[in-house]
Amino acid sequence: MAKSGLALKALQWFIRGIQFLSCAVVLALFSYFLAIASRNNIGIPTWSKAVEGISGIGVLYTLLGLLLLCCVAGHPFASGIAIILDIAFVGAFIYVAQANRGGASSCTGTVNTVFGTRPASDSLGSGLPNFHQLCQIHKAVLAVSIIAIAFFLLSAFMEVILVRHRRKESRFGPSPANNYTSGYGRRGGFFGRFRRRKGSEEQVMNPNVLPEHTHPDQVRPSYTTEGTNGAHYNKYGDSGFQHDGQVAYPDRTSYPSTGQSNYGYVR
């Protein structure tokens, strides 16, 4: 089970890495937009600053997730916070993809960019990209945003799996059910009844397993020996108590064989 836990952590680390790269790409491209606007005194819409902020926070969050994954993976509190943030970033990058929907076009003719709607052949100025190139940048941001949405959904699902795996590890520790190794033991509950019973097979495979002892309540009283369990049953169905080789019947007042009454002894 240690190997499975390590594999789950490695998979989540890979997912967080893709998220980090996606956020970093969006941050770098929109930082380029903001740098062009700042150097050339070009106005840009407010939503571009929002995209810059979302991608920047995403970089910090995914980087922190990569660093803490080795020590807090599967902890219910940490995973709960991560799931909430993952779902929040799904919504945030849906907004980023919608804001860069202009990149879904063929980037020919009239294009819609962060600097306005212009013909693709127009340029922002000398030494600056034209609107066709700006449209291509929006196309890249749109594609990366869709990838980020998919991987944030996947990471939220993986956090649930990590929590369940950690709880099972703590619930089923070393015991005879798992040969004193870390991992799962026998499951109970509703689904446990569908699991095949392996008790007899384990005894066959392990010659050191001793058979289960008989409990006192599993012993059937013998009715053929008078000395067994101190009780005797005669042909009339009465029980007596053995005493010095004789059997006493305190419950009957008389017996046909002896004629004795009350507490008589019959050989």
Side-chain angles (χ1 to χ4, degrees):
M1 296 312 300
K3 293 182 178 179
S4 62
L6 183 62
L8 290 175
K9 290 181 180 180
L11 179 58
Q12 183 70 329
W13 199 90
F14 171 76
I15 293 172
R16 293 296 185 194
I18 297 298
Q19 294 171 354
F20 173 77
L21 293 177
S22 300
C23 295
V25 168
V26 176
L27 178 63
L29 293 178
F30 267 79
S31 296
Y32 174 68
F33 285 156
L34 293 177
I36 292 175
S38 177
R39 287 198 301 263
N40 296 276
N41 295 322
I42 301 174
I44 56 174
T46 305
W47 63 262
S48 62
K49 298 178 181 179
V51 172
E52 178 84 359
I54 290 172
S55 58
I57 296 173
V59 168
L60 294 177
Y61 167 64
T62 53
L63 181 61
L64 185 63
L66 287 171
L67 297 177
L68 297 180
L69 186 60
C70 58
C71 55
V72 297
H75 286 268
F77 180 75
S79 294
I81 295 177
I83 291 172
I84 294 174
L85 291 177
D86 286 339
I87 299 301
F89 274 105
V90 169
F93 273 91
I94 289 175
Y95 171 80
V96 173
Q98 189 272 339
N100 290 270
R101 63 188 181 276
S105 65
S106 60
C107 294
T108 58
T110 302
V111 294
N112 185 17
T113 69
V114 67
F115 297 110
T117 302
R118 299 274 293 275
S121 58
D122 287 356
S123 176
L124 287 173
S126 178
L128 297 177
N130 57 33
F131 279 82
H132 173 75
Q133 294 171 333
L134 295 175
C135 179
Q136 292 292 332
I137 294 176
H138 283 289
K139 186 183 293 291
V141 173
L142 177 62
V144 170
S145 299
I146 295 173
I147 294 174
I149 291 170
F151 275 85
F152 274 113
L153 285 174
L154 187 58
S155 63
F157 178 71
M158 283 298 302
E159 289 292 341
V160 175
I161 295 178
L162 286 170
V163 170
R164 295 184 63 183
H165 181 271
R166 184 180 181 85
R167 286 180 176 177
K168 288 177 182 178
E169 281 290 319
S170 60
R171 184 182 306 168
F172 303 106
S175 67
N178 54 19
N179 198 23
Y180 294 99
T181 58
S182 61
Y184 302 131
R186 295 180 180 176
R187 292 184 180 179
F190 177 77
F191 293 100
R193 68 187 67 180
F194 297 103
R195 294 177 60 86
R196 184 163 53 91
R197 301 179 65 90
K198 299 182 180 179
S200 59
E201 296 182 2
E202 291 177 356
Q203 292 181 359
V204 173
M205 295 175 62
N206 189 359
N208 297 323
V209 178
L210 297 176
E212 185 179 1
H213 295 286
T214 305
H215 299 285
D217 56 352
Q218 297 176 342
V219 179
R220 183 181 63 85
S222 175
Y223 303 136
T224 59
T225 305
E226 295 179 355
T228 302
N229 293 335
H232 177 77
Y233 291 82
N234 65 356
K235 63 181 178 179
Y236 300 102
D238 299 318
S239 62
F241 300 92
Q242 187 175 6
H243 178 71
D244 295 335
Q246 296 179 339
V247 179
Y249 298 91
D251 297 332
R252 296 181 61 89
T253 57
S254 62
Y255 301 92
S257 60
T258 61
Q260 295 179 352
S261 59
N262 296 330
Y263 202 90
Y265 293 93
V266 179
R267 295 185 179 274

